[in-house]
C-alpha cells in the first residue's frame, strides 16, 4: 500500500512539473503520504515518519551532480544553481573541486557517523546542497551554532573553531535538513543512528549540534517557495521521499 501511495503522488507531481518547478501535492495527497501519523507525538511520531520516508531510492554520488542541478536551479536563470551559504547564482557547469567551482556540501557532515559518500546518507539529496568549494572547506565538518567571525566569500555566515552559522535566509533550511537526517537514518540499514544533540565538537560521533539553536532557526526561518519546490522535486524526480519538516514544520516541536 505504501509503495502505491508514493508512486501515485509521484505521478501526480510529474504531471505538474513545469520548467523546473513542481507544484505542491494536494492536502489529500500529503495526508495519504503521511498516513498513520495522526495523533502521534514524540518517539512514536519519529518512528512512523522513519518508516514512511525510508521508502526511497538511493542515488550514486555521481548522480548527485544531476540532482543538485535540478533541485537548486536558480529560478531566474535555468543555467545556474543557487549556492547554499553565499546565496550566489553560479553556472551549473562550474561544478568540481577547483577554486571558483561549486561542490556537494553534506549539511550533515559525513564524518559525523562516518558514512562517507556511500549511497544512502552520503548521497541523500535532502541534505546535499551546492556550495562554493572554499566556503565548503571553511565549514568543514563543524557543528552548527551562533557566533564567530564572518566567512570570506559568504557574507552573513560566521564560523569559529568548532561551529558554523549560516546566513539568516537559510538557517531554517539547515535545521530541517538535520532533523530529516535524524529521522531517516536510525541505524537500521547498515549506517549509524544519526541524532542531533545540544553540543558542538562532536567529532566523528554520529551526532550533530547544537539542537536548541537548530530549533530556534527552524522557527525563525520557515520553509519558503524555493525549499518547498526542492522537496517536491526530490520526491517527484529522484528519491521519491519527502522531508516531513518542510511539509509539517510543527512536527519538529512534537518530536524534540
Amino acid at each position: 500500500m505504501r509503495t502505491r501511495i508514493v508512486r501515485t503522488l509521484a505521478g501526480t507531481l510529474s504531471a505538474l512539473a513545469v520548467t523546473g518547478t513542481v507544484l505542491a501535492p494536494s492536502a489529500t495527497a500529503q495526508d495519504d503520504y503521511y498516513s498513520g501519523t495522526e495523533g502521534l507525538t514524540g518517539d512514536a511520531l519519529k518512528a512512523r515518519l522513519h518508516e514512511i520516508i525510508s521508502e526511497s531510492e538511493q542515488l550514486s554520488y555521481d548522480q548527485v551532480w544531476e540532482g543538485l542541478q535540478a533541485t537548486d536551479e536558480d529560478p531566474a536563470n535555468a543555467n545556474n544553481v543557487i549556492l547554499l551559504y553565499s546565496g550566489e547564482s553560479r553556472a551549473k557547469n562550474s561544478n568540481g573541486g577547483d577554486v571558483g567551482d561549486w561542490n556537494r556540501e553534506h549539511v550533515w557532515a559525513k564524518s559525523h557517523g562516518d558514512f562517507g559518500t556511500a549511497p544512502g546518507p552520503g548521497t541523500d539529496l535532502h541534505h546535499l546542497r551546492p556550495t562554493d568549494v572554499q566556503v565548503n572547506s571553511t565549514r568543514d565538518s563543524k557543528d552548527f551554532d551562533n557566533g564567530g567571525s564572518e566567512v570570506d566569500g559568504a557574507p552573513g555566515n560566521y564560523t569559529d573553531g568548532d561551529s558554523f552559522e549560516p546566513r539568516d535566509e537559510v538557517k531554517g533550511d539547515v535545521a530541517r535538513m538535520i532533523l530529516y537526517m535524524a529521522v531517516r537514518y536510525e541505524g537500521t540499514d547498515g549506517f549509524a543512528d544519526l541524532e542531533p544533540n545540544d553540543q558542538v565538537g562532536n567529532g566523528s560521533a554520529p551526532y550533530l549540534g547544537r539542537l536548541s539553536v537548530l530549533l530556534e532557526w527552524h522557527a525563525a526561518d520557515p520553509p519558503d517557495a524555493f525549499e518547498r519546490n526542492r522537496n517536491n522535486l526530490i520526491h517527484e524526480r529522484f528519491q521519491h521521499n519527502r522531508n516531513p519538516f518542510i511539509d509539517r514544520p510543527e512536527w519538529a516541536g512534537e518530536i524534540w
Side-chain angles (χ1 to χ4, degrees):
M1 178 63 73
R2 282 285 311 123
T3 300
R4 184 184 65 78
I5 291 172
V6 170
R7 295 305 183 192
T8 299
L9 182 52
T12 300
L13 289 168
S14 181
L16 295 172
V18 180
T19 62
T21 299
V22 179
L23 299 184
S26 68
T28 300
Q30 274 207 23
D31 286 344
D32 286 344
Y33 182 76
Y34 293 115
S35 176
T37 61
E38 301 84 358
L40 299 181
T41 60
D43 288 344
L45 176 58
K46 187 170 183 262
R48 178 60 187 137
L49 290 175
H50 170 73
E51 291 176 356
I52 293 169
I53 67 177
S54 292
E55 292 193 16
S56 62
E57 295 187 16
Q58 296 180 343
L59 306 181
S60 71
Y61 200 42
D62 282 342
Q63 288 173 318
V64 167
W65 289 122
E66 176 188 355
L68 294 179
Q69 288 172 353
T71 61
D72 292 77
E73 181 179 293
D74 182 350
N77 184 346
N79 294 315
N80 288 12
V81 293
I82 299 293
L83 306 188
L84 175 64
Y85 297 132
S86 68
E88 178 189 349
S89 178
R90 190 169 298 180
K92 289 179 177 179
N93 61 10
S94 293
N95 61 305
D98 297 327
V99 173
D101 288 342
W102 63 268
N103 60 3
R104 298 159 289 187
E105 155 76 327
H106 291 79
V107 175
W108 186 293
K110 57 184 181 290
S111 62
H112 290 236
D114 194 29
F115 52 76
T117 58
T123 64
D124 196 317
L125 286 174
H126 281 295
H127 86 117
L128 283 157
R129 299 291 292 265
T131 58
D132 175 80
V133 166
Q134 291 175 289
V135 176
N136 192 345
S137 179
T138 298
R139 188 266 157 140
D140 195 24
S141 60
K142 296 171 183 174
D143 295 270
F144 292 103
D145 199 358
N146 292 315
S149 301
E150 194 164 42
V151 175
D152 290 341
N157 298 260
Y158 299 87
T159 192
D160 57 23
D162 55 17
S163 71
F164 190 92
E165 177 186 349
R167 59 192 174 101
D168 290 346
E169 294 83 355
V170 296
K171 279 184 165 71
D173 306 52
V174 166
R176 287 179 283 276
M177 286 185 272
I178 298 304
L179 300 182
Y180 163 87
M181 292 293 283
V183 172
R184 172 63 183 87
Y185 298 99
E186 293 278 44
T188 58
D189 50 7
F191 297 104
D193 180 4
L194 306 182
E195 293 294 339
N197 65 4
D198 208 32
Q199 65 186 55
V200 296
N202 280 297
S204 61
Y207 308 120
L208 199 66
R210 184 179 303 266
L211 177 58
S212 59
V213 172
L214 291 167
L215 292 174
E216 291 173 0
W217 293 353
H218 169 63
D221 174 36
D224 60 15
F226 187 89
E227 190 180 1
R228 290 192 296 270
N229 184 63
R230 192 174 192 280
N231 195 26
N232 294 335
L233 278 166
I234 293 171
H235 180 262
E236 184 261 316
R237 287 184 54 182
F238 298 100
Q239 295 179 189
H240 310 302
N241 73 339
R242 304 183 65 78
N243 182 332
F245 303 105
I246 297 173
D247 293 327
R248 309 284 174 86
E250 68 274 13
W251 278 341
E254 295 288 346
I255 294 174
W256 288 283

